[in-house]
Every structure is written in structure tokens, then in C-alpha cells.
Amino acid sequence: MEDRHAYEKVRVNGAPAEATLSTGTGGGGGPELRWRCAGGVTAERSLSLEADVLGVEANGKEVVVRAFVADAAAASCAAVGKRRREIRRRKDYVFEMAAGEGAAAAWGDTLRGCLDSFGRPKRLFVFVNPFGGKKRANKIYAAEIKPLFEAAGVQITTQETKHRGHAREVASSLDLGRYDGIVCVSGDGVLVEVVNGILQRTDWKEAVKMPIGIVPAGTGNGMAKSLLHAAGETYSVSDAVFAIIRGHKQSLDVCAIVQGQERIFSVLSMTWGLVADIDIESEKYRWMGSARFDFYALVRIMNLRRYCGSIHFVPAPGYEAYGEPVTQVDNIVERIEQNRESPGPGPGFSQGPSAELERSDWRFFDGPFVAVWINNVPWAAESAMAAPEAKFSDGYMDVVIIRDCPKPDLLALLLKMSDGSYVKSTYVTYLKVKSFRLSPGQLVENPRRGGVIDVDGEVIARGEGTYGKDQHEDLMTYGPSIQLTVHQALATIFSPK
């Protein structure tokens, strides 16, 4: 936009002032609105149209600027004993033009033109999951999310999810041409369903360009936490919504998970062993919210399990020394390729991309294992940084392996998970991989009992004697190998920066 400046005498929220509207980028900071109250009693104030403003409305001789700005008092309180964090609040600034309605209309048009130039989304399709976490998503949407979208002038179409898999079904056939993005008001589960639904479409190559936003309203909320933390933003519902309103986008890696003729796509993680047991068996304590994970982690560590099995992987550059070399690489690749030749129908079938497999440099670890955790983003939940080195679109998975660890040390690791420093422990192996193969086995302590394999919070395979084995029919079978392959930058997400 052309660099222009407009000056007006105004009253800002009733106080006489002189205001300047700069529409260009000549100063390097982008379009902004500045004002100083008469008499110079208070310091000059400013709003960045891109970073602070939701929307604008001109009415008579008034221009109402709907903003989302830092609350200095709240930030000071939050900074006690911690690094100072910006906490933002909704605030309206009413500019009453001394020159009358004509000036107000002109400023309103100019401000809206600036906002339009940012390419922000105008029409969003919003999933609301009423079953996630403490079942408060509808209240959160009405109280915190809808008002921000309305202030930004975004047209919203809402869809309450009715059952597991509903978001995938809707996303697989949604008329994407009617929307500028899809938003998930939930934990991470609805996001996963939307990605899988998009990759089931015959037009998936174009559909993956549709940006997806995530607003934390569930139990885990790992993706929302990862996005906001990476941008240095406060983790909150309102900050997640504002990131979507601003319309910044970035690519996201997606992992294809294959066994036989079944295939699903993952955006967060796959777990086996301790972490999977905690995630799935704590379901009975879902009413506790995210605290259920901490509580049940203590239960499981005090009754620690170890699993037989093996893992094979293609290391990323710099991680070639991890594990032992595989001598018969062709056998591994051949089995994987046979698995993906004829993907069958059913809930795991997707259109999507085919796996590109490495034919060399495979390495392996044998068990027993306490935990195996494959991550795509840094945060597994709002309080657990599982993979501190994970990137959103680097083409690699970050793998955490614990093969043996005394219980007191495992408890110490749990306490260090909030900042990711647990990965520095000598009991933890941390590496990046391009491809991965899991061959799960039985419990060391009870060879008749297996484990569970958890992908993005949902079980895909359960061994004999596990929680929920008799009540559920899983997509994959516990025991045969499961393959993971990264598809770099396959999905698009709204990002704070």
C-alpha cells in the first residue's frame, strides 16, 4: 500500500488529542495509528494495524477501532518470579473527528483498506467439540472466541461435532471454496480428524493448502501450545484466536502411519509404552482435565512396565551414530512397500501421498523399552514439552527412547518435562529420523499381555489384556510392524507469526 499520512484533531475515548494515520511501510513498522492527548500529559500512544487491530467501524463522526492490545498491569502480575509475558485484552478506541462525518468516513475506509491488504481470512468454518477436556468448548466459544471473530468482521459457519470421526467426515466433503480456513475449537483430536479428512479427498493436492487453525479447548492442546510458544506468545484461547484472525500461515509436516492395507495420518505424535499407557488409561479421569496426565503418570511409574520389541529408523543428518546398523535393509523396505501397494477401504484409507522410503542407512534398537515417543511438534500437551528440538516443517520426526530407568530418576524426568530438559538425561535417547518402523512386543513382566499404540491421542492397536481391549475394535493390529514416513510441509496451519 502507498505510504500516506493523515492528520486529524480528535477526541480519543473522550480525551482531546492529535492523531496520525500512516498507511505505508516507509518507517519499517507497517501501517499504524498514533495519537497524543492535548497538553502532552500522557505519552504518545500507537496501534499497529497488523499486530494490534481486529477491526474498524465508522459511525457518524466516530471511528471505533477494535483492538487486541497488551495489558501492562496484567503482564506485570504475570511476570512476578517469571519472564515478563505480554497478556493481551480486548479494548475499543473511539476516535471522534473534529472535522465531522466526512473525515470519519475517510479514516474508516483507509483503515479497512489497510486491514484488507493483510490478506486476513473473511470466512471461516469452525468445528466445536463439546466432548473434549472438561466439556467446556461451547462455553469457551460463546464467551471468548465468537466475540473476537465478530470484532474482526469474520463470517463464521459453526459445526458442533456429534461423534468421533465426525470432523473427518465433514472435512472430506466440505465445499472449501466457500471458506478461507477451517478452525478447530477442541483439543488436538479434531485437528487430526480434519487433516485426515482433507487427505481423503480426491482434490487433496489443492485441499492441503486450506489453512487450519486450532483454539485450545480440550485436554492435550499440544499443537496450540507449540504454535504460540514458538512465536513467543502467551498460551491462551484469545491469543490463539487472534493468530487465526491475523491470517499468518505456515507449513506443517504430516506423518503417514501404515500397517498392511491400513493408513492414517498423524500431525502430533505416536507413542508406545509408558506415555501411551498414561494417555489412554487416564481416560477414566478425563474430568480432571490436563491434571489427569500428571496424576496417572505417578501411578504408572510406581507400577512400571517394560516392553519387548524393536525399532528401526533412518536417522537424520547428524544422528547416524545412534543405534546399530541393519545389514538386510532390502528386507525392511520390501515389507514396507508390500504394505502400501494396495491400501484397502475402511477408516484408515486415504487418498493422500504415497510413502517415499529410504533404501539405505537403516539402524535399529532392541528392547526392552520403557517408552518410545515419536513427535512432530515440540509440545505434546500444554504442560509437556516432549520434543524441544522439533520443528513444524523440517521433514523429520523427533524420537524419544527410554530403555531402562530407575523409578526415582523417572520421577525426576517427569518433573523436567515442562521445559523439555528431561531429554538431557543419560536415560533418554533423543534423535531425529526420516523414517521409522515399530515392532511392538509383550510385557517383560507378563508375556501374555501387550501394550497400546497411541497416535495423536487415539489408540490404533492394543495387545491382549490392555485397557479397553474388549470394548473397541482398533484400526491396526498389535504385534506386526507399523511404519511411519514424514511428508514434509504437507498441511497448512494458521500461525501467530
Side-chain angles (χ1 to χ4, degrees), residues 145-326:
I145 300 171
K146 184 179 179 182
L148 286 174
F149 282 141
E150 290 179 341
V154 180
Q155 297 178 23
I156 298 297
T157 300
T158 59
Q159 172 66 66
E160 186 175 295
T161 56
K162 304 299 184 183
H163 54 80
R164 183 172 295 176
H166 188 200
R168 174 175 53 81
E169 295 167 4
V170 173
S172 68
S173 59
L174 186 66
D175 183 359
L176 299 181
R178 297 176 55 192
Y179 305 102
D180 302 315
I182 298 173
V183 177
C184 307
V185 180
S186 68
D188 295 310
V190 171
L191 168 65
V192 176
E193 288 191 20
V194 170
V195 170
N196 276 272
I198 285 175
L199 288 168
Q200 283 185 318
R201 300 169 64 101
T202 56
D203 65 344
W204 67 267
K205 290 183 179 180
E206 285 299 315
V208 294
K209 299 175 185 177
M210 171 65 69
I212 305 169
I214 180 74
V215 181
T219 302
N221 305 314
M223 184 62 74
K225 176 72 176 205
S226 295
L227 289 166
L228 291 164
H229 183 266
E233 298 289 344
T234 303
Y235 170 74
S236 70
V237 168
S238 56
D239 280 274
V241 175
F242 190 48
I244 295 167
I245 289 170
R246 292 175 70 187
H248 294 183
K249 308 174 188 70
Q250 72 175 52
S251 298
L252 177 68
D253 291 344
V254 177
C255 296
I257 300 177
V258 179
Q259 184 190 66
Q261 296 183 358
E262 300 293 353
R263 176 174 60 168
I264 58 171
F265 292 95
S266 165
V267 296
L268 288 166
S269 65
M270 186 175 89
T271 64
W272 172 57
L274 177 64
V275 177
D277 293 345
I278 292 169
D279 190 17
I280 301 308
E281 293 177 15
S282 67
E283 283 282 337
K284 62 176 77 78
Y285 305 107
R286 183 172 281 273
W287 56 269
M288 297 175 66
S290 60
R292 84 183 216 224
F293 298 120
D294 295 333
F295 165 73
Y296 203 71
L298 293 174
V299 173
R300 278 275 48 89
I301 290 173
M302 297 309 295
N303 300 275
L304 193 61
R305 300 166 180 164
R306 294 182 303 150
Y307 293 91
C308 300
S310 65
I311 60 175
H312 294 74
F313 56 91
V314 178
Y319 296 89
E320 295 88 350
Y322 286 77
E324 299 295 327
V326 174

Side-chain angles (χ1 to χ4, degrees), residues 76-95:
S76 297
C77 293
V80 176
K82 300 180 181 179
R83 181 173 62 87
R84 182 180 175 87
R85 306 277 312 263
E86 269 197 351
I87 296 178
R88 289 175 172 259
R89 298 282 187 264
R90 267 283 287 118
K91 186 171 183 178
D92 286 345
Y93 295 90
V94 180
F95 291 77

Side-chain angles (χ1 to χ4, degrees), residues 349-400:
F349 173 67
S350 299
Q351 297 285 335
S354 60
E356 297 296 331
L357 297 161
E358 301 286 336
R359 286 191 171 272
S360 61
D361 301 324
W362 283 84
R363 302 182 73 84
F364 75 95
F365 285 111
D366 279 333
F369 298 97
V370 171
V372 176
W373 202 352
I374 305 100
N375 297 277
N376 191 41
V377 296
W379 292 83
E382 60 192 66
S383 59
M385 181 183 268
E389 300 301 320
K391 309 298 180 186
F392 294 104
S393 57
D394 62 354
Y396 303 116
M397 296 171 279
D398 287 44
V399 180
V400 176

Side-chain angles (χ1 to χ4, degrees), residues 49-51 53-54 115-116 118-122 242 245-247:
L49 268 62
E50 198 282 327
V53 176
L54 291 162
L115 295 178
D116 289 343
F118 301 143
R120 292 180 171 184
K122 304 271 189 194
F242 190 48
I245 289 170
R246 292 175 70 187

